[in-house]
Amino acid sequence: MKLYCLSGHPTLPCNVLKFKSTTIMLDCGLDMTSTLNFLPLPLVQSPRLSNLPGWALKDGNTFLDKELKECSGHVFVDSVPEFCLPETELIDLSTVDVILISNYHCMMALPYITEHTGFTGTVYATEPTVQIGRLLMEELVNFIERVPKAQSASLWKNKEVQRLLPAPLKDAVEVSTWRRCYTTQEVNSALSKIQLVGYSQKIELFGAVQVTPLSSGYALGSSNWIIQSHYEKVSYVSGSSLLTTHPQPMDQASLKNSDVLILTGLTQIPTANPDGMVGEFCSNLALTVRNGGNVLVPCYPSGVIYDLLECLYQYIDSAGLSNIPFYFISPVANSSLEFAQIFAEWLCHNKQTKVYLPEPPFPHAELIQTNKLKHYPSIHGDFSNDFKQPCVVFTGHPSLRFGDVVHFMELWGKSSLNTVIFTEPDFSYLDALAPYQPLAMKCIYCPIDTRLNFIQVSKLLKEVQPLNVVCPEQYTQPPPAQSHRMDLMIDCQPPAMSYRRAEVLALPFKRRYEKIEIMPELADSLVPLEIKPGISLATVSAVLHTKDNKHVLQAPPRPSQPQASKKRKRVSDDIPDCKLLKPLLSGSIPVDQFVQTLEKHGFSDVKVEDTAKGHIVLLQEAETLIQIEEDSTHIICDNDEMLRVRLRDLVLKFLQKF
Amino acid sequence: MDIECSRLLPSVCAVLVDPKQFVADDTCLEKLLDWFKTVTESESSLLVLQENPCLIELLFHVLKLQDVSSNILSFTLRLAGIFAAHENSFQYLQQGEVLLSLFSEAGPLSRPAWEDPSVRSGWIQGVGSMVQHERAVQFLCDCGAIDVIFSLQGDPSLFVASAASQLLVHILGFTMHSQRAMPLSIQDCDWPLCARMIVGHIEESLCSGTVPQITQALNVLTTLFGRCHDSWTEVLWMRMNPLVGSLLEKEPLMAAHSLVDLFLSMARSPVFSHLECDLWTSSRQALNRLSPTQAGPLALGILNLKDCPQTLRTQALSILLQPLACVLRAASQPAGFPGLLDESVNDSVITDILLSSKSSCAGLLCQTLAHLEELQPLSHLLVDWPHVPLLSAVMTVLQFCSGLATPASSVGDRLCGILIGCFRVQRSALDFLGTLSQGASPSTLVRQVVEILLVYLKSPDSSPTVLKKAFQATLKWLLSLSKTSTSSDLCPQTQHFLRDLFPILQKRLCSPCWEVRDSALEFLTHLTKHWGGRAGFRQALLSSEVPELAEDLLRDPESYVRASAVTAMGQLSSRGLCSNPIGTESKNDEKKSLFLELLEILSTDSEGFPRRAVIQVFTEWLREGHTDVSKDKEQFVTKVLQVVSCDLDWEVRVQGLELALVFLVQTLGQHGTECPYAVEMSSLTQSTLLTESLQILCRVKLFEFIFSALCDCDRPVARKSCDILLYLKAQLSHHGSLQGSGEACTASLGTQSTAWLETTLRKWRARDQGQPSGVADRVDCQEPDDVLEVLRSVDLEGLRGTLAKSSDHIEKSPQSLLQDMLATVGILEENEADCY
């Protein structure tokens, strides 16, 4: 069993598991941090961005000044943003049989895989994952396509050139594989390959393995996966949460007894407690708005935003913010808010029960009804008519490189009254802000990541007790910035096996058993013999048939009926072995009774010695030893075959035959 | 016993023994026993028994009955004990062998009712009451009761077991006390028989090797040495010392907690407090043998003692310091910084405990920090109290808890993992840190304290309870900083601290968690109270948004927060730190003045806490002469009293009366009656001034409020009102204003009840309402004469007496108790009849 690791990002995994005869891709996350190296795509012409100076080499060479621009000491690529794809060279991706998706954040690279690698298999995901994943992809495509950029930079990617660039461009990995965003058509085609599954649904793959999604508690429809055969079980844990937020709680019990547990998608900010961060978010929001400032929250159109809106729903009255408008701007804002309300069966218990009242599970419905929350597809159109300040704007993209957020950064960045609050943990907020420097607006970093932290992982591992744990290498050592925090790493026994991008791991896993079925007629013919209460044995002679990873014992072909007297001889020649079959023996020899029997049969000088493994019965006169052990009996006599046979028959009397 | 009770008693006794009747209320039996106790103490118990044969009959009857209920059996045992406490009654009861049947081994022990713990408890209490004379002790020894008590020490009911141990102490103490004339030796033969039995039992238990028995024996000794300080206890200890000593040597150590209790109980007894006592040797041995968690309470107890050997104190202190020393060592400290303890002290046991699990680590640290916090006030008595290293250690603990510490060893690494985010330890450490603000600390460390406090105040991960403690500790440190500063204003360090603090306070006042908003407001209130006058503080506060945020919280959805906001705003306004001074309408009319806003809370808030807070603030404003209130005090008081009089919460009304009292004192005192140096005024002038004062009080309708309060159905309100009126009456009598003008007045002098007062008040109100509202120059219906009339008429002293009594004082007589018991049974009978 092997694990091919195609992504180096611990929360955006892409691994391929070869298990039995199947090739299973576990998630296909898209690392979008590469976009931080690019200039933002403004919705409205930005003089500031278009007038940035071109970058020149130390020696004054300006051949890159069209591609690279300098802003506050940082260098950015002036081109359509590109993404870092999972490794495509490590394994032939056309051989992948299925792709299992854990949550909507971990499927963003799907079109690259399904559309460009010769992939012909099936993708499995839950319905909310697909629907919200579609929204995220559509938003991404929309953000990038609506501001077409004529220029496409590629010179800088040349290895020789890249060497000369300043950090972080110099250190960017695999730049040659970076790709532009996919198209709507590719998204549709990729999503058409998805087959919907429900929690705990068992899906057979070629008869060899069974895969099952389990609730992971992180997002709507998010799942962990169990991949198991009859005797082996691999658990794939990706993006799970034990906190009580909106999704169904995590199913931990089903992860028990795994041979291997692949652990990815832990919290990216292990030192920040989500509750504390929500508190920070609310306080800073209130303080800004009180002073007449605006608040900008760069976010994804789904996920934590639901919880934030719920918190604000409870908070705004106490903080006297009832008159402040909240705007949610995204091409998919409306669908996202509505989808959240219709996936009732994927929600936590509290929210599910609301549906029966009947009430909308999320209170953002009420915010919309009372006009406190308004949503728009973009800043153009209705929004510009309704726009009132001070206000709170939720909009994407959290990387600050594309989407409506770019406009608000340009608009509000100059005033210290305004605040940008980062809640999404995927991007370093300092890097995200770099092309907007110098910036007067306040920046608050309250990353809200509800995924498992290391304390929770340690409890989880104690609970489910997997034999082996496999995880990204980042989890096996403390974060580089806090090297003394030994609590910020996975601590388990045996130590977790770690992987990094482009590595192939042989999983420590021995397959010992295989399930074989017996055909009914063959089973009928068996004559079991009870050798112990509750245990019966029977000998089987059969033909082993293997097809589609299923093994079946079938009755051996019957010897054909003698057709003519001439051929009778040949028939008897055909099955000569049958006669040689010796009965199988079972049982144990009670030494005392055996000695008595020997004495009855005239052996008078019997002595018994106990050995470590059993007994030795000594017939002194006959100079014979009978060694009785748990699984063997030896009669050692000096060439006296008659005696040996006599003794053998006495031994056999105590054993069962079948 | 009065005749009426004697008459009722036979019927009550009959009810008690009648299995068909059921005394539903257990408290009746308790009250009955209390009454018998009082009766037997005040008159001859023998006479009571003889004159009320029903009592003896009751005892006999209960003995005869097989299916008597357990509460009646328990009652009987206790009743018999109360009578047997007196020697002559004891003999009288002995004659009929009642006592033998009740208390010997052949008594109720064999009955099924004995299974009920209340019966066993009753038996113990009966025996306990009885042991007041030697005959009783002799009787107990003879009838085998002592053995029963021994066995009850291990009773499954903890109450019974504990009572049995206390009974043994009582019997032993009594026996030895009665033998006081004879000097005792350590030898057995000198001791009275009963004492020998008990001491023998204790010795046997101590040698038994089983934990429950050893614990029982140690508990008896602990109680004994705690209660009895006679010289014989020292002789007893001489016998016990070797046995206890051998317990200390056993592996594993048994009954550790009981040993600690024993040593502490002995150490507090004057018999053992001399410095040569061998108790100290045993204590020293115990400190060595006990685990750090067990030794903590003993060490604390020792350090709290007035007199004990210095070496022992040093050892005890080092026990308490060890866990913190271990923490300090686990973190890298600047070279040359003195540690808490010698490097040579072996702390492997402590380290093991700290690293074994999160709960044991937190348990030990919290206990240690709590003990040291308790000791801090005594630190000036402890010569070796290491203030500076302790401060440094507690900061290290806080750094570990917040992930800021840089571990210097593998122990540190583990501790870091265990302590991060541990709220329990954070709370204890912050408490102790606050306490340490009392000592003198070097400025470098103070800077570090300020830093760590800011970290905790700032951290989004601080839980509300941790944050509250952080605020409390910050307040203590801030106040201690201002104490050390020589100038009248705040030192630069404090000013710097405040500059960092106010943005945090602003954020905390906006927290979505109400507990956080509440503690931030409390902190603000306290800080303003102490520093409201300091320019540095005023400047920092006014340049922040804190006053506005606090004002907004007057409308918080959570009532506790509203209450705290009211107090905070009251304090800010008193110090002139409010953005919107009271009494004056704000620049824009939309915004109400603070007074009106608070008045609105007082009249409309649905919760009691904010209303109580408002009236307290108003009282405070009036008392300290808040400038804006002083502008028109009468109007202020009128408005407030008008609102308070309608309040449903009695606490608000009581506080309203306090405000009325303040106003009353101020108004009467205004005219210089109290000042000894004032120019003596003529009596005519005085009386004019007094009349003027009364007129002012009438104008604000103070009397109507106080008189209504006197009729209030909530007793505290009526009492307070009564006290105020008595004070006023005394003031007026002093000036002779209360003397009546006619015969009619003297006739009703001090005789009227509250019912009369209510009628009078109704008349006043009717008169008030009858007045045409349009009359411009309206004359108040309450004239000073009316008030004086009321003061003369109502029996205030009598009323005060009545109000001081508890509400059931009328129904408390023994006669009513007996009647009640009969009455409830009667009702039961009626119900029974209804069933047919």
Side-chain angles (χ1 to χ4, degrees), chain A residues 271-280 282-284 286-287 290-291 315 317-319 455 482 484-487, chain B residues 402-407 413 416-417 420 458 460-461 506-508 510-512 517 545 548-549 552-553 556-557:
Chain A
T271 49
N273 164 20
D275 285 338
M277 287 300 147
V278 170
E280 283 288 293
C282 291
S283 317
N284 284 302
L287 280 174
R290 283 180 58 90
N291 287 330
Y315 177 69
D317 287 333
S318 76
I455 298 170
Q482 287 157 307
H484 68 284
R485 293 285 301 262
M486 304 302 280
D487 56 318
Chain B
S402 58
L404 292 173
T406 30
D413 286 340
C416 185
I420 279 180
K458 210 183 276 180
D461 289 342
Q506 271 170 217
K507 206 157 65 177
R508 294 305 187 185
C510 294
S511 167
R517 300 197 295 272
E545 291 169 49
E548 289 84 3
L549 285 167
D552 282 358
L553 292 179
D556 199 274

Side-chain angles (χ1 to χ4, degrees), chain B residues 121-148:
Chain B
S121 172
W123 187 89
I124 291 176
Q125 288 182 50
V127 172
S129 313
M130 193 193 300
V131 182
Q132 302 296 337
H133 48 86
E134 280 183 48
R135 274 177 192 273
V137 177
Q138 189 58 46
F139 162 75
L140 292 176
C141 291
D142 294 345
C143 75
I146 301 288
D147 288 329
V148 178

Side-chain angles (χ1 to χ4, degrees), chain A residues 254-494:
Chain A
S254 309
L255 300 171
K256 282 185 183 170
N257 305 320
S258 306
D259 297 279
V260 173
L261 187 136
I262 304 170
L263 186 61
T264 65
L266 303 187
T267 174
Q268 301 194 67
I269 319 289
T271 49
N273 164 20
D275 285 338
M277 287 300 147
V278 170
E280 283 288 293
F281 172 80
C282 291
S283 317
N284 284 302
L285 185 143
L287 280 174
T288 306
V289 175
R290 283 180 58 90
N291 287 330
N294 301 294
V295 176
L296 178 63
V297 187
C299 62
Y300 293 115
S302 179
V304 176
I305 186 171
Y306 304 140
D307 297 313
L308 283 181
L309 288 175
E310 185 156 357
C311 289
L312 286 173
Y313 169 79
Q314 291 160 357
Y315 177 69
I316 48 177
D317 287 333
S318 76
L321 303 177
S322 313
N323 300 322
I324 302 298
F326 289 76
Y327 301 119
F328 177 21
I329 304 169
S330 161
V332 296
N334 186 29
S335 320
S336 165
L337 292 173
E338 281 178 5
F339 271 139
Q341 306 285 21
I342 59 164
F343 289 124
E345 74 267 37
W346 304 90
L347 293 172
C348 63
H349 181 72
N350 268 350
K351 296 214 179 301
Q352 276 191 27
T353 47
K354 281 195 169 185
V355 181
Y356 297 101
L357 290 178
E359 268 176 29
F362 285 94
H364 60 236
E366 198 184 315
L367 288 176
I368 296 171
Q369 237 171 25
T370 53
N371 262 340
K372 286 177 184 164
L373 172 68
K374 294 179 182 178
H375 53 85
Y376 305 90
S378 89
I379 52 167
H380 302 302
D382 290 347
F383 174 72
S384 36
N385 301 330
D386 299 351
F387 182 49
K388 260 193 277 174
Q389 300 192 75
C391 62
V392 181
V393 170
F394 294 87
T395 188
H397 188 269
S399 66
L400 306 191
R401 292 301 177 270
F402 37 83
D404 302 89
V405 74
V406 177
H407 177 71
F408 287 100
M409 284 303 296
E410 292 287 326
L411 187 70
W412 290 343
K414 293 171 207 83
S415 164
S416 62
L417 282 179
N418 303 326
T419 306
V420 53
I421 308 182
F422 291 88
T423 56
E424 299 289 354
D426 286 354
F427 301 91
S428 144
Y429 79 105
L430 288 175
D431 291 345
L433 288 171
Y436 299 95
Q437 299 296 357
L439 197 66
M441 85 193 289
K442 283 195 285 288
C443 303
I444 306 289
Y445 184 55
C446 3
I448 299 169
D449 195 335
T450 57
R451 284 172 282 202
L452 297 177
N453 62 30
F454 289 98
I455 298 170
Q456 290 164 336
V457 165
S458 136
K459 276 187 193 156
L460 175 76
L461 292 181
K462 267 188 201 140
E463 177 83 20
V464 306
Q465 296 199 323
L467 291 183
N468 295 288
V469 176
V470 178
C471 65
E473 65 172 346
Q474 289 93 330
Y475 297 160
T476 56
Q477 59 222 13
Q482 287 157 307
S483 54
H484 68 284
R485 293 285 301 262
M486 304 302 280
D487 56 318
L488 301 184
M489 57 183 271
I490 291 178
D491 179 22
C492 64
Q493 279 308 322

Side-chain angles (χ1 to χ4, degrees), chain A residues 514-536:
Chain A
E514 196 64 76
K515 190 174 175 177
I516 296 176
E517 282 179 16
I518 295 186
M519 294 302 284
E521 53 272 30
L522 178 64
D524 260 355
S525 71
L526 299 181
V527 189
L529 194 73
E530 190 167 42
I531 53 157
K532 266 186 198 170
I535 297 179
S536 299

Side-chain angles (χ1 to χ4, degrees), chain A residues 21 89 316 346 461 543 577 598:
Chain A
S21 53
E89 304 296 317
I316 48 177
W346 304 90
L461 292 181
V543 174
D577 290 350
L598 287 175

Side-chain angles (χ1 to χ4, degrees), chain B residues 335-475:
Chain B
F337 193 83
L340 272 177
L341 289 170
D342 218 332
E343 286 292 325
S344 60
V345 174
N346 179 17
D347 59 358
S348 64
V349 184
I350 304 277
T351 313
D352 287 349
I353 294 178
L354 289 179
L355 299 185
S356 64
S357 74
K358 191 165 185 160
S359 60
S360 68
C361 176
L364 181 60
L365 281 178
C366 288
Q367 180 187 294
T368 306
L369 290 164
H371 286 165
L372 288 169
E373 191 189 340
E374 206 180 318
L375 281 178
Q376 206 285 332
L378 303 173
S379 58
H380 59 282
L381 300 173
L382 300 167
V383 279
D384 38 6
W385 177 259
H387 176 80
V388 171
L390 269 177
L391 187 56
S392 170
V394 76
M395 281 195 292
T396 310
V397 171
L398 284 169
Q399 280 166 346
F400 268 121
C401 290
S402 58
L404 292 173
T406 30
S409 60
S410 61
V411 177
D413 286 340
R414 294 281 306 281
L415 262 183
C416 185
I418 288 175
L419 286 178
I420 279 180
C422 184
F423 296 153
R424 260 180 79 197
V425 177
Q426 286 177 349
R427 284 196 294 261
S428 303
L430 284 166
D431 268 344
F432 185 43
L433 182 68
T435 320
L436 284 176
S437 65
Q438 298 305 315
S441 317
S443 59
T444 45
L445 269 186
V446 174
R447 203 171 306 128
Q448 286 178 35
V449 170
V450 166
E451 276 166 22
I452 193 86
L453 282 172
L454 283 174
V455 165
Y456 273 81
L457 291 173
K458 210 183 276 180
S459 166
D461 289 342
S462 295
S463 81
T465 50
V466 170
L467 202 64
K468 193 181 173 84
K469 299 277 182 196
F471 272 128
Q472 286 168 349
T474 308
L475 184 72

